[in-house]
Amino acid sequence: MPKLSRRESLHALAVAGLCSSAGLHWPTPALAQAASPSDLKDEDIFQFALNLEYMEAEYYLRATTGKGIDAADLGSDPGSVKGGRKVSFQDKAIGEFADELAENELAHVRFYRKTLGSQAVDRPAIDFEAGFAAVAKAAGLPDFDPFANDMNFLLGGMLFEDVGVTGYAGAAPLLQKKEFVEAAAAILAVEAYHMGMARSQLYQMGDKAQKAANAVSVARDKLDGPADKDQGIERNGKANFVPATPDGMVFRRTPQEVLRIVYLTDKAGVDSGGFYPKGMNGTLKST
């Protein structure tokens, strides 16, 4: 059998659901024949990441300032954003944490736009209202509003941060340029700091927050495929701040698995939905 390109392997794996938390496995000959013939470029992966960073930055900026990303950082033809408003934080520390999150995610958007240059994709259309409504329904959280209070804000952030960490871990082995690998690793570390803080804060809020966070985790894991790549913040009656494999490593998700979560679908071949009503911009946009 001829050697597959990286994109061929990635596409076939996503369709078959053969990804495991330990890494990627080789597809069967039948799946290889159905795969795309072109190679995946580092820029394709960074464009994919930029789409996610746009969403995270919009979420945190709207929660902390009441408005989103400035026009100068959106591209020439950005999509619209539906939903989001300033949160009335009751806990001073959580409010300051939120400000730091917003600064970090906006910095990530600017980094990717600077690095990609003319290849930087515009902000895609983002729908927080439909996205969170669907997540709430799947997780059994009636009338969930992520901008209503401190706990809900952290739950909404956890939805993105956990997925971002696993997405960066899954994409990093696909990068070829040393400087791109270094950048992805550095951003992954920041996203992991975010995730750990949000999960620990939620755990300390008590039973209601713990159950809600675990429900979000279960809902995500049902979307991304058959492998177990998610963990709640409470397991066996104890705190679980760090979701990890038995080897103490971060879970890995392929771009297609990430797309299933943010598009809120468990089906292959979907190119829009959920938080991205018109899909992501760039090469990597289909589950």
Side-chain angles (χ1 to χ4, degrees), residues 169-226:
L174 304 173
L175 294 168
Q176 293 183 329
K177 298 177 183 176
K178 180 176 181 290
E179 61 271 26
F180 277 36
V181 175
E182 290 174 347
I187 293 177
L188 185 157
V190 170
E191 301 289 354
Y193 276 124
H194 294 173
M195 179 195 74
M197 178 63 76
R199 291 170 70 96
S200 64
Q201 289 284 343
L202 284 166
Y203 185 83
Q204 293 178 68
M205 287 180 176
D207 186 65
K208 181 179 179 180
Q210 292 168 18
K211 288 181 177 177
N214 280 16
V216 169
S217 170
V218 171
R220 282 188 310 219
D221 212 20
K222 288 180 179 178
L223 289 171
D224 65 11

Side-chain angles (χ1 to χ4, degrees), residues 55 59 62 81-85 126-137 143-147 160 264 274-277:
M55 180 169 68
Y59 178 73
R62 287 164 191 271
V81 177
K82 187 174 182 180
R85 68 183 188 280
I126 297 169
D127 191 340
F128 289 123
E129 292 181 2
F132 280 115
V135 170
K137 182 177 180 181
D143 303 319
F144 177 73
D145 177 2
F147 303 96
F160 301 139
L264 300 172
F275 290 96
Y276 295 90

Side-chain angles (χ1 to χ4, degrees), residues 249-286:
M249 297 182 183
V250 67
F251 291 104
R252 302 176 185 176
R253 284 186 172 102
T254 67
Q256 280 72 20
E257 290 171 326
V258 171
L259 285 170
R260 289 185 179 191
I261 294 173
V262 297
Y263 286 173
L264 300 172
T265 180
D266 59 359
K267 302 182 184 303
V270 177
D271 60 10
S272 65
F275 290 96
Y276 295 90
K278 296 183 179 179
M280 285 192 177
N281 292 325
T283 302
L284 285 167
K285 61 181 299 179
S286 180

Side-chain angles (χ1 to χ4, degrees), residues 25-47:
H25 299 283
W26 201 253
T28 65
L31 290 170
Q33 293 176 3
S36 170
S38 56
D39 279 333
L40 188 65
K41 300 176 182 177
D42 286 3
E43 288 75 13
D44 296 330
I45 298 172
F46 268 30
Q47 287 175 346

Side-chain angles (χ1 to χ4, degrees), residues 114-135:
K114 176 181 65 177
T115 302
L116 288 167
S118 62
Q119 297 185 65
V121 295
D122 298 340
R123 181 190 66 192
I126 297 169
D127 191 340
F128 289 123
E129 292 181 2
F132 280 115
V135 170

